[in-house]
Amino acid sequence: QHGLDKSQACWLALGSEGRDEQTVATDQDNALVLQDGLSNELTQRWLAMAREANETLDACGYPLCEGNIMASNPELALSGTRWQERFSNWLEFGTPEDILNASIFFDLRPLWGAEQLAQGLRGMITEKAAQSPRFLKLLALNALQRTAPLTWTGAIDTHADGSVDLKLRGTAIFVDAARLYALAHGIAATNTRERLQAVGIALEAKQREYEGWIGAFEFLQMLRLRVQTEIAEGRGDPDHPNRIVVRTMNTIDRRILKESLRLMNELQQRMQLDYGR
């Protein structure tokens, strides 16, 4: 409809979409990488297409990103060279806040168009991140700001209403750890399951250990989906699509949740030893 040649650009999925891990409660995180040397007129046409795509996705139930992390944002529709410069700047000179805000970009996945544009970017990130100890340390320190919701006695630490945030103090911790170790070991995968498996092998962890990380992550994802499905069916609290009230869980699920959080805590202790000193 816009008269554009898809060989000129690639639509990037970022964050949970880039990791193939979107849940029911989600929004858009996307960007464009453009062929070097496009005219301003062509760039504006790509931005117009991106605006229509973002608005159409919103109409389909994928809300617009409140932080404007979308392909229709001119700051996120850049040439391959400019994207490489941006990633290089994050890797070499980024502040802790820069790294925190940029973390979802390191989960990029080509979705449509000239995939080689995204693959070149992915290759550059995979190579340079592993050679950037300062960046990896900042990434780790940011990741360690969130801790597993366990008390000093090993009980589940809940909010006042008896709930646990399954994202911020659950899946996000596994996502952060998997991203950190994958980038540190030159692993190009973006999916958390694939990253954890490759990372476990790279770290020479026992198979049962890294399979435990994967199982814990996927159990927490399953609980998130259960909560969000209940909300979609008119049950639950739509203001808290990632929280589960522990006392409403059956005995088996409570035990698995507690064990998943224990495994998460052990993974964070490994991160602390590797990068926190």
Side-chain angles (χ1 to χ4, degrees):
Q1 289 177 340
H2 289 266
L4 293 165
D5 180 352
K6 71 176 186 178
S7 69
Q8 296 172 343
C10 184
W11 186 278
L12 302 177
L14 308 173
S16 61
E17 188 181 351
R19 299 189 304 272
D20 279 316
E21 292 164 8
Q22 274 186 304
T23 59
V24 179
T26 188
D27 65 357
Q28 297 186 48
D29 289 312
N30 44 60
L32 274 174
V33 53
L34 305 171
Q35 188 181 82
D36 283 355
L38 285 192
S39 66
N40 182 61
E41 186 265 337
L42 267 177
T43 299
Q44 293 306 312
R45 284 166 60 191
W46 276 105
L47 284 168
M49 185 281 287
R51 276 192 296 275
E52 185 173 347
N54 289 148
E55 290 165 1
T56 304
L57 285 166
D58 180 51
C60 291
Y62 296 89
L64 298 173
C65 175
E66 292 183 2
N68 203 22
I69 307 298
M70 294 183 291
S72 54
N73 179 351
E75 291 296 311
L76 301 180
L78 306 174
S79 69
T81 297
R82 286 194 61 198
W83 271 118
Q84 292 212 15
E85 289 171 353
R86 178 166 289 185
F87 275 102
S88 291
N89 191 60
W90 284 328
L91 290 167
E92 295 175 27
F93 309 111
T95 66
E97 186 177 2
D98 290 335
I99 304 304
L100 182 64
N101 293 332
S103 60
I104 65 168
F105 291 91
F106 287 87
D107 300 336
L108 68 87
R109 175 171 64 93
L111 204 61
W112 175 85
E115 292 194 6
Q116 68 272 16
L117 293 173
Q119 289 163 354
L121 203 52
R122 180 84 258 159
M124 172 263 186
I125 294 166
T126 303
E127 180 183 353
K128 289 198 171 182
Q131 301 168 1
S132 306
R134 176 182 174 276
F135 164 77
L136 294 172
K137 185 173 180 65
L138 289 178
L139 200 63
L141 292 177
N142 279 336
L144 290 168
Q145 295 302 306
R146 285 191 283 238
T147 57
L150 292 171
T151 67
W152 67 274
T153 62
I156 298 173
D157 184 22
T158 65
H159 293 274
D161 63 356
S163 69
V164 170
D165 192 313
L166 297 166
K167 180 180 179 181
L168 295 181
R169 299 190 72 189
T171 56
I173 292 176
F174 281 111
V175 167
D176 287 346
R179 180 190 298 117
L180 166 67
Y181 281 115
L183 290 171
H185 289 273
I187 295 164
T190 58
N191 176 263
T192 300
R193 170 186 245 280
E194 293 174 4
R195 279 174 165 172
L196 288 173
Q197 183 161 5
V199 161
I201 294 168
L203 294 174
E204 299 183 348
K206 292 180 180 177
Q207 184 174 348
R208 66 174 181 269
E209 183 178 3
Y210 63 78
E211 286 182 352
W213 302 339
I214 293 167
F217 168 72
E218 292 187 338
F219 179 73
L220 293 171
Q221 280 284 75
M222 182 273 292
L223 289 180
R224 288 180 66 201
L225 286 167
R226 182 191 297 174
V227 170
Q228 292 170 17
T229 301
E230 288 175 354
I231 291 171
E233 293 171 348
R235 297 173 287 147
D237 183 357
D239 292 330
H240 297 293
N242 291 299
R243 285 193 188 184
I244 191 166
V245 178
V246 176
R247 65 177 175 273
T248 65
M249 300 172 68
N250 65 53
T251 303
I252 296 297
D253 281 352
R254 273 203 309 275
R255 287 180 180 175
I256 299 174
L257 173 59
K258 189 173 179 180
E259 179 64 12
S260 297
L261 298 178
R262 186 188 67 77
L263 290 171
M264 179 196 301
N265 191 51
E266 287 184 357
L267 181 55
Q268 282 205 303
Q269 288 174 352
R270 179 189 282 265
M271 289 169 60
Q272 182 71 46
L273 288 172
D274 289 343
Y275 296 99
R277 291 175 292 180

